[in-house]
């Protein structure tokens, strides 16, 4: 590794404001609609679920929003994160392309998710909330929220998608470390869970179901609010610290990326990484290629419709205008649990519709192949979610080789895979398979 292959920022250089892309969107976002009456929701109607300060951020059109000092203080445990050139991967591919990654795996819970978990815990705390209820897929969001609530002295209740609950026991251990309560979803604690178990006792669960349970828990406890780890505007806002740092780091390196890549589940890590760059494009600056990468088993953008849909399975959440496979879609039990969500962040969906961002879908086996190559060149073991981005990076780097172009490719390394080793074991034992979603013809 050469001296300038790793670009660091000092604590002092940490961004002090989040970037709100809503201020720069040419076409404003379609508003969330009331689940039954299908008319725009008011913030007052959503205050049973979220505190007003976060709802204000959700709707804000203000371009820059201050990051409170207590949030910066906790983020500085691991931020700013490094921007690293993956030179050994470049060499293994024999590509003239440069490959850079922003390493969000260095946070204590191991992913980008605490960037918003810490902010959400803080804003709930100052709003007087005592307990947060949430869902978790692969367990990354649960670990991030348990970490954040612990530091702000809030209780934390986590509904964990059953397939991950069984596949990833150590994630539970991490959540227990920070005093969260964790149960498998669908559970018999909520009407939503009971309803689903009655129909299918072996239901592997899905993020949509777990969200229904976490919201029902919220509505039935007075001291409790709900926290969502992705999709919503305020979550993406909190993640923009990633892209803002990346912009500074590329300036320091004297390099400008051509392609920005990230995996997309609900869209938060990728949005956090790319939105500040998309802001340049939206305000007449450089045109980048933005590629969001999803699994072929849950191809929300590449095969879904762009329409209003519920965020959960039962239909309790406001309707969001987004790419969706349908709120009752239950994806197969692939190992990238964090990418098994039927919908997509309205902000990213809008950028796709406006032709600013594109999407690709990658299958499970080539994704693990890419992850193994990354681990054997760069030395880091990626989360299966992150591996989708790496598959796309490698494919773009190989294309650059064919065309003999020195393309600069950057991607968000959203998390490590050190708690996903059973998935790698299954891959090496030949037990993983590809999954292709085929849309139902009606
Ligand atoms: C949760 C998660 C994702 C997917 O969620 P987004 O909101 O799309 O970012 C991706 N990578 C990792 C490591 C995750 O934990």
């Amino acid at each position: 590794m050469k001296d300038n292959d790793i670009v660091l920022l000092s604590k002092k250089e940490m961004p002090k404001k989040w970037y709100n892309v809503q201020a720069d969107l040419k076409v404003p976002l379609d508003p969330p609609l009331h689940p039954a009456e299908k008319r725009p929701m008011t913030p007052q109607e959503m205050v049973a679920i979220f505190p007003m300060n976060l709802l204000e951020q959700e709707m804000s059109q203000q371009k820059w929003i201050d990051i409170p000092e207590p949030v910066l203080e906790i983020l500085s445990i691991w931020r700013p994160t490094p921007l690293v050139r993956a030179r050994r991967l470049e060499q293994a591919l024999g590509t003239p392309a440069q490959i850079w990654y922003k390493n969000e795996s260095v946070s204590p819970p191991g992913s980008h998710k605490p960037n918003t978990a810490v902010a959400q815990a803080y804003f709930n705390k100052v709003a007087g909330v005592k307990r947060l209820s949430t869902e978790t897929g692969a367990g990354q969001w649960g670990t991030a929220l348990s970490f954040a609530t612990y530091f702000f002295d809030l209780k934390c209740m986590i509904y964990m998608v059953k397939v991950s609950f069984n596949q990833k026991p150590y994630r539970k251990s991490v959540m227990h470390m920070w005093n969260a309560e964790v149960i498998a979803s669908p559970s018999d604690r909520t009407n939503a869970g009971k309803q689903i178990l009655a129909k299918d006792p072996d239901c592997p669960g899905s993020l949509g179901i777990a969200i229904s349970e976490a919201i029902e828990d919220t509505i039935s406890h007075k001291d409790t609010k709900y926290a969502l780890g992705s999709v919503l505007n305020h979550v993406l806002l909190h993640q923009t610290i990633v892209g803002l740092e990346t912009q500074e780091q590329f300036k320091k390196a004297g390099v400008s990326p051509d392609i920005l890549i990230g995996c997309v589940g609900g869209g938060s890590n990728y949005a956090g990484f790319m939105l500040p760059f998309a802001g340049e494009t939206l305000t007449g600056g450089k045109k980048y290629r933005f590629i969001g990468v999803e699994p072929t088993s849950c191809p929300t953008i590449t095969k879904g419709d762009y329409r209003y849909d519920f965020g959960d399975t039962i239909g309790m959440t406001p309707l969001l205008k987004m790419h969706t496979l349908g709120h009752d879609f239950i994806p197969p039990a692939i190992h990238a649990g964090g990418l098994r969500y039927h919908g997509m962040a309205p902000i990213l969906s809008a950028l796709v519709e406006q032709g600013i961002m594109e999407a690709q879908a990658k299958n499970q086996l080539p994704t693990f192949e890419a992850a193994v190559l990354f681990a054997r060149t760069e030395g880091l073991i990626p989360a299966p979610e992150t591996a989708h981005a790496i598959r796309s990076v490698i494919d773009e780097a190989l294309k650059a080789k064919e065309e003999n172009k020195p393309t600069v490719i950057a991607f968000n390394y959203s998390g490590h895979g050190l708690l996903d080793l059973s998935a790698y074991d299954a891959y090496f034992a030949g037990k993983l398979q590809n999954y292709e979603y085929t849309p139902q013809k009606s």
Side-chain angles (χ1 to χ4, degrees):
M1 187 177 268
K2 304 205 172 131
D3 224 15
N4 31 16
D5 283 358
I6 174 156
V7 189
L8 300 170
L9 298 176
S10 69
K11 300 282 176 200
K12 272 205 303 256
E13 291 171 301
M14 245 171 96
K16 303 288 184 295
K17 292 174 195 294
W18 291 301
Y19 167 64
N20 180 11
V21 73
Q22 290 195 69
D24 289 330
L25 285 178
K26 295 284 173 293
V27 187
L29 294 177
D30 292 300
L33 299 184
H34 188 280
E37 297 166 24
K38 315 258 182 317
R39 51 157 179 88
M41 295 274 284
T42 63
Q44 286 71 24
E45 287 175 310
M46 289 191 271
V47 85
I49 300 178
F50 297 110
M52 193 51 83
N53 49 16
L54 288 177
L55 288 169
E56 279 163 8
Q57 290 178 5
E58 186 67 19
M59 319 248 168
S60 173
Q61 302 295 312
Q62 195 182 315
K63 183 158 173 167
W64 297 101
I65 296 180
D66 286 333
I67 309 177
E69 197 51 48
V71 172
L72 284 171
E73 172 63 31
I74 302 219
L75 294 183
S76 75
I77 294 174
W78 73 95
R79 305 207 71 85
T81 63
L83 177 70
V84 185
R85 182 158 174 193
R87 210 181 272 269
R88 295 173 58 88
L89 176 60
E90 292 169 14
Q91 282 159 359
L93 297 172
T95 178
Q98 290 185 29
I99 300 174
W100 294 82
Y101 63 94
K102 176 70 169 163
N103 189 353
E104 288 297 304
S105 77
V106 297
S107 76
S111 78
H112 66 286
K113 289 201 172 75
N115 295 327
T116 184
V118 170
Q120 291 189 47
Y122 169 79
F123 285 108
N124 274 283
K125 180 76 183 180
V126 299
V129 174
K130 302 282 182 257
R131 177 177 176 269
L132 288 180
S133 163
T134 197
E135 74 294 329
T136 192
Q140 292 274 23
W141 172 240
T143 56
L145 195 69
S146 60
F147 165 83
T149 50
Y150 186 81
F151 279 89
F152 286 107
D153 197 22
L154 298 166
K155 287 193 190 131
C156 188
M157 175 71 220
I158 298 168
Y159 294 86
M160 183 168 183
V161 177
K162 193 186 281 167
V163 52
S164 298
F165 190 90
N166 296 327
Q167 272 174 1
K168 304 189 169 174
Y170 293 123
R171 292 253 194 250
K172 273 176 281 181
S173 318
V174 178
M175 292 180 244
H176 290 152
M177 172 61 71
W178 291 308
N179 282 352
E181 187 179 348
V182 191
I183 57 171
S185 165
S187 77
D188 59 6
R189 290 249 189 131
T190 65
N191 291 325
K194 282 183 210 157
Q195 210 174 308
I196 284 155
L197 286 175
K199 270 193 234 149
D200 177 9
D202 299 321
C203 178
S206 70
L207 268 183
I209 295 171
I211 294 174
S212 300
E213 291 206 274
I215 292 185
E216 191 180 322
D217 179 302
T218 304
I219 294 168
S220 54
H221 290 82
K222 236 187 139 69
D223 61 350
T224 301
K225 296 273 187 242
Y226 170 66
L228 191 63
S230 189
V231 181
L232 297 178
N233 305 339
H234 68 269
V235 179
L236 275 53
L237 174 79
H238 301 154
Q239 292 293 351
T240 59
I241 192 166
V242 176
L244 292 166
E245 284 179 7
T246 308
Q247 277 180 319
E248 285 311 306
Q249 286 163 311
F250 272 123
K251 265 184 226 154
K252 255 194 185 178
V255 173
S256 177
D258 301 305
I259 310 182
L260 291 123
I261 294 176
C263 63
V264 287
S268 73
N269 88 83
Y270 183 53
F273 179 63
M274 61 78 85
L275 284 178
F277 293 92
E280 291 179 31
T281 307
L282 286 165
T283 53
K286 180 167 174 177
K287 283 202 170 71
Y288 301 93
R289 241 186 105 198
F290 297 110
I291 308 173
V293 190
E294 53 190 18
T296 49
S297 56
C298 191
T300 314
I301 301 178
T302 51
K303 299 252 176 89
D305 303 323
Y306 184 52
R307 62 176 168 87
Y308 272 105
D309 195 10
F310 297 106
D312 67 328
T313 298
I314 299 290
M316 287 195 288
T317 68
L319 291 154
L320 300 174
K321 182 79 173 285
M322 61 183 176
H323 287 89
T324 177
L325 294 164
H327 62 276
D328 52 1
F329 176 71
I330 296 182
I334 56 160
H335 282 272
L339 305 185
R340 296 173 71 249
Y341 182 62
H342 68 270
M344 184 54 55
I347 286 177
L348 288 190
S349 292
L351 290 180
V352 171
E353 282 307 295
Q354 294 171 23
I356 294 194
M357 170 189 153
E358 58 188 287
Q360 295 178 350
K362 301 292 178 187
N363 224 319
Q364 182 158 254
L365 292 178
T367 295
F368 271 85
E369 187 195 345
V372 170
L373 179 60
F374 193 80
R376 289 178 178 173
T377 49
E378 294 302 311
L380 301 183
I381 300 175
E385 291 85 356
T386 312
H388 286 76
I390 298 173
R391 178 72 259 168
S392 169
V393 167
I394 291 174
D395 292 347
E396 293 301 324
L398 291 174
K399 213 179 292 168
K401 180 179 178 177
E402 260 168 44
E403 297 166 357
N404 199 22
K405 277 196 194 145
T407 316
V408 179
I409 304 169
F411 75 100
N412 198 23
Y413 189 82
S414 56
H416 69 65
L418 291 175
L419 293 176
D420 302 285
L421 293 176
S422 62
Y424 283 95
D425 282 343
Y427 173 70
F428 288 128
K431 288 184 191 150
L432 293 193
Q433 59 183 97
N434 281 328
Y435 292 95
E436 199 86 43
Y437 167 83
T438 33
Q440 242 99 58
K441 294 270 176 323
S442 50

